[in-house]
Amino acid sequence: MLVLVINSGSSSLKYQLRDVDTHDDEASSRAVLAEGIVERIGFEGGPSDHAEALGHVDAELAAVLGDRTIDAVGHRVVHGGERFAEPVLVNNEIIRAIERLNPLAPLHNPANVLGLRAISAKWPDTPQVAVFDTAYHRTIPERAWRYAVPDWLYTHHGIRRYGFHGTSHQYVATRAAELLGLEPDEFDGVVLHLGNGVSATAVQAGKSIDTSMGFTPLEGLVMGTRSGDVDPSILVFLGRQGHSPDEIDDLLNRQSGLKALAGSNDMRAVVEAADAGDRRAAMALEVASYRLAKYIGGYHVSVGGAKAVVFTAGIGENSAPFRARVAERLGALGVVLDGALNAVPSKEPRVISAPESDIPLLVVPTDEERAIAEATAAVVRPT
Ligand code: ADP
C-alpha cells in the first residue's frame, strides 16, 4: 500500500511517499519512495496556493509512481481538540470540525485545512486520513489536564491542557516497549521528545497520562526558541508595560529558549560554545537539563515508577553531551549512564545506561512520517 504523508504549513508543503508494506528496519529508507518540500507558497517566486504546490508534488511523484497509484493520503494535523482521540477518515464534516479548532492553533490548523482541501479537490477518490498531534494525549486524566482557573475559561474558550508531539510520543513508547521485551500496554516510562520543540510525556500502561506542553506548545520545557514555563504574571507585566499580545507571543515563542540563553537554538553550537568556555552557553545547558530532570522526576512519580526514560528527536537522538548532562541529574533515581554506550552514534533503538541503573535510559529514534503512514493504512485497510 502506498501512502502519501502530507505536512501542510502556512507557506510550505512537506511530503513523503511510503510503501507501508515494506517492513525492513535495517534499510527502512527503502520504505520511503520519495520525499520533499515545496516552500514559499503565496510568496513571490513560489506557488500561488496549496493547490498549485500540490501540482509540483504531483509532477515529482509521477516519475516515481510509474503505473502505481497512491492508495491513501495521511495528513499531520496539529490540533484535534477534545473530539479526536484517533486518526480519522476525512470527509467534509471532518474538515469543518478541524476548521472549528482553528482558534486553538491559529498558525497550524488553517494550514492543515488548506492541505486537506487541496488534496480533496485534486484526488477526490483517494481516501484521506487526519492524524492528530494531540490525539495520543486524550487519555490524560482531568487532574492533569485541568488548569486551576475559573470554569468558563474551559467551557467558553476550551482552555485546558491538550499536549502535542503525540504521534512521536506514541511511536517511541511502542518502540521502547519492544526494546524492553514488553507489550505496548505494559510500558510505564517517560518519553523525552527533544527537538526544536521539546516535550516530555508520562506514559502508563502504554497511554499518555501527562505531558509537558499544555494549551499550546509553549508550556513546559526549555526549547530552541520557546521559553517553556514562566510565571504567567510576566505576560501581564509586559502587557502593562505596553507590549502588544503579538509582541509577547513573539518574545516567548521565537526569541526565548536556548536562543535567548545562549544566542543559538542549535544544540550542537551551544555544546561547542560551552566546551570552549562560553559561560552563557554553559548556563543555558544547565537551565535546560535541570528543568528536564525536574519533569522526569515528577513523571517518575506520575507513572508509579518508570521502567525507562527514553530520549528521541534531533537532540535526544544525537546529542550525547546533552543526554549526559540530563542523566547526571538523575542520580537520586538510581540512574547510571554508561558513558561509552552514550557516546556511540547510531540510528538504532538502544540502551545507554549501565546494567546496574535502576531505570534504563534508552535512545529510540522517532519517525513521525512512518507513524502517520501506518496509522493511515490502518484506517483505510478493509478489515
Ligand atoms: P524539529 O522539532 O524541527 O523536528 P529536530 O527533531 O530536527 O527538530 O531537532 C532539532 C534540534 O536537534 C536542534 O537543536 C539541533 O541542534 C539538534 N541536533 C540535530 N542533529 C544534532 C546532532 N548531530 N548533535 C546535536 N544536536 C543535534
Side-chain angles (χ1 to χ4, degrees), residues 165 193-197 258 265-268 313-315 318-319:
H165 288 150
H193 179 110
L194 315 178
N196 261 313
L258 291 178
N265 60 344
D266 183 337
M267 183 53 86
R268 277 163 296 202
I315 297 168
N318 301 303
S319 185

Side-chain angles (χ1 to χ4, degrees), residues 41 46 128 176 252 285 287 302 305 377:
I41 301 173
Q128 296 192 68
L252 296 177
L285 295 175
V287 174
S302 301

Side-chain angles (χ1 to χ4, degrees), residues 14 76 165 193-198 223-224 226 258 264-271 312-322 347 366 368:
K14 253 202 236 171
R76 173 172 193 238
H165 288 150
H193 179 110
L194 315 178
N196 261 313
V198 172
M223 314 191 199
R226 294 191 194 116
L258 291 178
S264 168
N265 60 344
D266 183 337
M267 183 53 86
R268 277 163 296 202
V270 179
V271 169
T312 195
I315 297 168
E317 292 167 30
N318 301 303
S319 185
F322 188 72
K347 293 281 161 218
T366 190
E368 288 178 88

